[in-house]
Amino acid sequence: MFKKIFTVILAVNILILFSFSGVLGKEKAPYTVGAVLSVTGGASFLGEPERNTVKMVEEWVNAAGGIQGHPLKMIVEDTKSDVAQAVLAVRKLLEKDKVVAILGPSTTGESMAVVPIMEKAQTPLISCAAGLSIVTPKAELDRIVSAKTFEMPKKQNKWIFKTPQTDTSAVEAIYDHMKKKGISKIAIITVTDGFGSFGRQELKRVAPSYGISIVADELYGPKDSDMTAQLTKIKGTDAQAVVNWSVGPPQVIVTKNWNQLSMKIPLYQSHGFGSKRNIELAGGAAEGVLCPLGRLVVAEKIRADHPQKSIIVKYKTEYEKRFKTDVSTFGGHAYDAIMMVSDALKAVGPNKGKIRDYLETKIKNWPGTGGIFNMSPEDHTGLKKDAFEMIVVKDGDWAFAD
């Protein structure tokens, strides 16, 4: 009798043990998020730090136990800086990998190409590019561009968000600085790609409301290797400053040409100048160049009680220790994007609609590397011109401009 009871108890304990072991051994399914970035190709100076950041943060999240116990799985696709590749990558992530959200692309042109796909798929996209046109429906953009006064959009693409400050805010920051310096007549020189074209539009659209007159308007191609002719024309005008709008190698060429021509007027660059590699490639010619940049590039110089301080110092320190190179604002855009999605997944789980709603309504007073974000139905960027500091290149480094 005793032996029979002992056998029954042992059997029950074994069943409980196996059952309990099964629970412990069952891992939660990963939350899968895509990233479409220009890791190689002409815009790799954007996509490489973005890819590095995405993989670094993925490791941080999973080392800390994941998101509510779910591992974060980031699938990074390289667009090779090509619009067609960006479209193919987004389709693959949606249809094959079944991602719940996508980060990127790195450039305005690529982002514009995938916006209709993401809207149709009803899946959140957080672009790492600057153009206001990415988050704004074309009809709404046409309305504000044709308005007689300076207006901002009141409608946004439902599923599209972005983390970089808009080119509109960058223009406003530049014009604020010019007004402080008594500059009212300027020349603009812009590249004929998506980023440059929208920047040119905003430079012209915003100028009247700041009392700025544009006395010269020059263009160049994305693959042009010398802009001396355009700058020589500008030199012959009464412009008090010149603004260049491009990213990557053309910015360096314009900087060198400006320096070679010994132009006596200041050169302002767009917020796409936020990589110290641009200073290095300019070989000393960048001294004195002005640009509106996020506080990430001057992290150590920000006051201790600033809401962004701890975030940007931690990201900058960890990035530079891990990758043995200077941090850039571009990697910071990816950092902000992945952290927003992580917060959304933690709060609402892998439901695309709820993630979208969270991004639009819960990202409030949210400190990131690019500024303090306040998303809303009317603003899927969440940053204004006060997200920028006016920066000057001094002694081969970034410094606050006067």
Side-chain angles (χ1 to χ4, degrees), residues 116-176:
I117 301 170
M118 297 301 293
E119 285 284 296
K120 185 177 181 181
Q122 299 187 351
T123 302
L125 176 83
I126 306 182
S127 170
C128 295
L132 183 65
S133 52
I134 297 167
V135 292
T136 309
K138 185 177 183 307
E140 179 66 359
L141 201 60
D142 290 344
R143 183 190 68 78
I144 65 169
V145 169
S146 62
K148 293 182 179 178
T149 57
F150 173 50
E151 293 189 28
M152 289 300 286
K154 296 177 181 176
K155 297 178 181 177
Q156 300 283 266
N157 288 317
K158 183 175 180 179
W159 295 87
I160 313 300
F161 301 83
K162 62 189 233 40
T163 51
Q165 308 92 341
T166 65
D167 21 28
T168 312
S169 295
V171 168
E172 290 187 274
I174 289 173
Y175 286 169
D176 270 342

Side-chain angles (χ1 to χ4, degrees), residues 288-363:
V289 167
L290 296 150
C291 50
L293 297 179
R295 297 180 178 88
L296 177 61
V297 298
V298 286
E300 293 84 358
K301 300 170 184 172
I302 299 296
R303 70 175 198 273
D305 62 346
H306 194 283
Q308 291 179 259
K309 179 76 175 187
S310 61
I311 291 166
I312 57 179
V313 168
K314 178 189 176 186
Y315 168 62
K316 182 176 187 293
T317 303
E318 292 297 322
Y319 186 94
E320 293 182 348
K321 183 172 68 176
R322 168 79 176 270
F323 298 106
K324 313 298 182 191
T325 187
D326 290 314
V327 76
S328 71
T329 55
F330 313 125
H333 300 326
Y335 174 89
D336 292 339
I338 190 172
M339 295 306 289
M340 284 183 189
V341 169
S342 295
D343 280 2
L345 285 167
K346 184 177 181 181
V348 303
N351 181 296
K352 294 180 180 180
K354 291 182 178 178
I355 293 172
R356 191 215 78 86
D357 293 347
Y358 183 94
L359 295 173
E360 187 176 83
T361 63
K362 302 299 182 184
I363 301 295

Side-chain angles (χ1 to χ4, degrees), residues 32 83 87 104 123 220 245 257 302 308 353 372:
T32 307
V83 169
V87 169
T123 302
Y220 56 86
W245 215 267
N257 292 160
I302 299 296
Q308 291 179 259
I372 300 173

